[in-house]
Amino acid sequence: MQTPLTGTLSALPALPAGTPHPDGVSNDEFRAAMSRLAAGVVLVTAHDSDDGPRGEDVGMTATAFMSVSLDPPLVLVSLRNGSRMDDLLAEQPLWAVSLLSESQRHIAGRFAMKGRISDRLLFEDIPYRTGEVSGAPLVGGALATLECRTEQHVVAGDHTLVVGRVLTVGLPSAEGGPLTYFRGRYRQLG
C-alpha cells in the first residue's frame, strides 16, 4: 500500500554490533538502553490465504505495539523489514493482536524463536478462535484481542511501522496481569 509517508524515513545500512553510528551510538549501546524500557507482549497474527488450499495462520511475538488514536481507534506495530509478517501485511490488510497474559509466556517464547518450525505447528496446541472480520487467530485467555485493518505503512530504518484501524475488540480474560518484557526476559508485574 502506498501512502504519503511510505519511505519517508529511509533505511540506513546495518552496522556491526559494536560499531558506533555516525552520531556515536553503537547497536549494543542502543539495545542496552532500550532493554530498560518495559513493554507489554502481544501476539500479532494474520491468515495467509495464498499458502496452500486452506491457507495458513501466521504469528509473531511483538513488544513494539501501542495505541495511536482514540478517534478513529488506531494501533501501531513495528515489524522487522523482510520478516514473514512484514511481507504478509504488505499484501494482506487484515490482521489481529492478542495482548498476552502473564500465564502465556510459553506462547510468546514459541512465536519469538529464531529458526522456528512452521507456523501451522506453532498454533497446533494453542487455544484460539478465528476472528470473524480478519480471519486471524485470536488467542484464548489473552487479556484482550483486537482485529485490525491496515491504514498505513511507514518504513523506519530496519523496521516497518504498520498503523491499523481497530475493527473489533474482545475482552476474553480479566484474570491475571500482562506479560511484560524487560532487560531481555519475559516478566510479570508485582
Side-chain angles (χ1 to χ4, degrees):
M1 176 189 303
Q2 194 68 2
T3 66
L5 289 180
T6 300
T8 58
L9 301 173
S10 62
L12 298 173
L15 298 173
T19 306
H21 289 273
D23 296 328
V25 176
S26 73
N27 289 353
D28 287 342
E29 291 169 323
F30 182 68
R31 190 174 290 114
M34 298 293 37
S35 77
R36 287 159 173 80
L37 177 64
V41 182
V42 302
L43 184 67
V44 180
T45 58
H47 184 76
D48 184 356
S49 58
D50 291 339
D51 193 3
R54 294 188 325 249
E56 183 174 30
D57 294 325
V58 177
M60 65 160 269
T61 302
T63 55
F65 175 78
M66 62 183 283
S67 167
V68 174
S69 169
L70 185 60
D71 186 16
L74 299 174
V75 293
L76 177 144
V77 65
S78 180
L79 307 174
R80 185 176 37 83
N81 293 341
S83 67
R84 179 152 187 215
M85 189 63 71
D86 179 45
D87 292 344
L88 179 56
L89 294 190
E91 301 296 323
Q92 161 61 280
L94 298 173
W95 46 284
V97 176
S98 297
L99 283 62
L100 299 179
S101 72
E102 59 195 2
S103 66
Q104 295 177 314
R105 179 185 302 216
H106 65 288
I107 295 172
R110 179 183 292 189
F111 284 90
M113 288 188 300
K114 295 202 186 307
R116 64 189 198 187
I117 59 176
S118 78
D119 284 274
R120 184 168 282 120
L121 294 174
L122 292 174
F123 281 104
E124 196 169 75
D125 62 346
I126 294 175
Y128 70 89
R129 69 177 181 81
T130 300
E132 292 180 26
V133 174
S134 66
L138 303 170
V139 176
L143 296 177
T145 58
L146 310 168
E147 290 185 275
C148 305
R149 182 185 64 239
T150 300
E151 295 270 315
Q152 195 170 44
H153 293 261
V154 179
V155 176
D158 59 4
H159 279 63
T160 298
L161 308 177
V162 179
V163 177
R165 182 180 295 254
V166 178
L167 304 173
T168 70
V169 170
L171 302 171
S173 177
E175 298 300 314
L179 181 61
T180 58
Y181 194 73
F182 179 70
R183 291 197 176 199
R185 294 181 44 214
Y186 296 116
R187 311 279 182 140
Q188 296 174 308
L189 291 180

